[in-house]
Amino acid sequence: MFKKDISAGAKSKVKSSVQRAIRAKVVETYPLLAPHIDEIIPKKSQLDLLKLPDRVSLYALENEPLFWQHMDDPLIPHLRVVHAFPTCFPRIGIDRGAIRFVLSGATLMAPGLTSTGGRLPEADAQLQEGDVVVVETEGKEEACLVGQLRMGTEDIKEKKKGVVMDSGHYLGDGLWKLIID
């Protein structure tokens, strides 16, 4: 989605009622972020909305990107938020062979998750289609990709092939390099 460098379009201030709704939606979508929500989006701060290409909205605080949303999809955290609060998001892992493809903007395929280096959640913590997940790489500490699943983890384990995530925000993409001023 953000393969090319992007430039922000119109920048506008978010009304306080909308900001409260965004805070509530973030806590609803990512319950583990609830203790940190005042740190991420303080109550008395001014949130900005930036319009990006392809109908993407980016929410930023003091020129620091926080969350982005494509049309009516769920709010997806920027990787800087994921790196600041790494334990607050559902995680899956890819093997070493998939790293270069993911970091060049390719779709995430099931073999990268089901091979020996890949990691999927246990049966009691299954993820569903449409859930927002953070993708980590084998042997690395930082997350490299965040996006929405196109198939549930149970289906991934059964089929072991197919597209798992077709678009997302990865290290080094246009959203990562975006300068807000």
Side-chain angles (χ1 to χ4, degrees):
M1 180 171 283
F2 303 111
K3 285 185 184 181
K4 298 179 182 172
D5 288 345
I6 55 175
S7 58
K11 182 178 180 180
S12 59
K13 304 281 185 202
V14 175
K15 291 175 22 176
S16 61
S17 59
V18 175
Q19 187 166 328
R20 280 193 305 273
I22 290 170
R23 283 172 53 100
K25 192 70 173 167
V26 167
V27 170
E28 178 187 324
T29 309
Y30 310 106
L32 294 175
L33 272 182
H36 309 288
I37 193 66
D38 287 330
E39 204 176 324
I40 298 168
I41 309 173
K43 287 184 179 178
K44 297 293 181 181
S45 62
Q46 179 59 56
L47 204 60
D48 294 321
L49 168 66
L50 288 90
K51 296 291 185 182
L52 302 178
D54 298 328
R55 296 183 180 164
V56 174
S57 301
L58 176 67
Y59 296 99
L61 179 68
E62 297 172 1
N63 295 333
E64 190 68 31
L66 297 177
F67 295 92
W68 60 277
Q69 183 176 29
H70 180 256
M71 296 171 66
D72 291 332
D73 290 347
L75 285 168
I76 299 176
H78 192 279
L79 275 171
R80 293 188 204 312
V81 174
V82 172
H83 292 161
F85 305 98
T87 59
C88 296
F89 303 97
R91 307 174 101 54
I92 57 176
I94 56 172
D95 65 357
R96 290 183 184 274
I99 295 172
R100 68 182 180 134
F101 298 109
V102 167
L103 292 181
S104 64
T107 58
L108 181 60
M109 305 298 282
L113 298 167
T114 56
S115 63
T116 52
R119 189 179 71 248
L120 288 168
E122 299 299 323
D124 60 339
Q126 292 293 325
L127 298 168
Q128 305 303 318
E129 179 181 352
D131 286 353
V132 176
V133 295
V134 171
V135 179
E136 295 178 324
T137 58
E138 176 186 16
K140 306 288 183 200
E141 293 179 17
E142 300 291 330
C144 67
L145 173 68
V146 60
Q148 259 185 308
L149 288 177
R150 281 197 39 201
M151 70 169 69
T153 52
E154 200 171 293
D155 291 340
I156 295 169
K157 289 176 184 175
E158 284 175 18
K159 296 179 183 174
K160 297 189 182 202
K161 62 181 179 180
V163 176
V164 174
M165 186 184 302
D166 56 0
S167 64
H169 165 42
Y170 58 92
L171 286 174
D173 68 0
L175 186 58
W176 180 262
K177 295 176 186 174
L178 180 66
I179 298 171
I180 304 170
D181 49 1

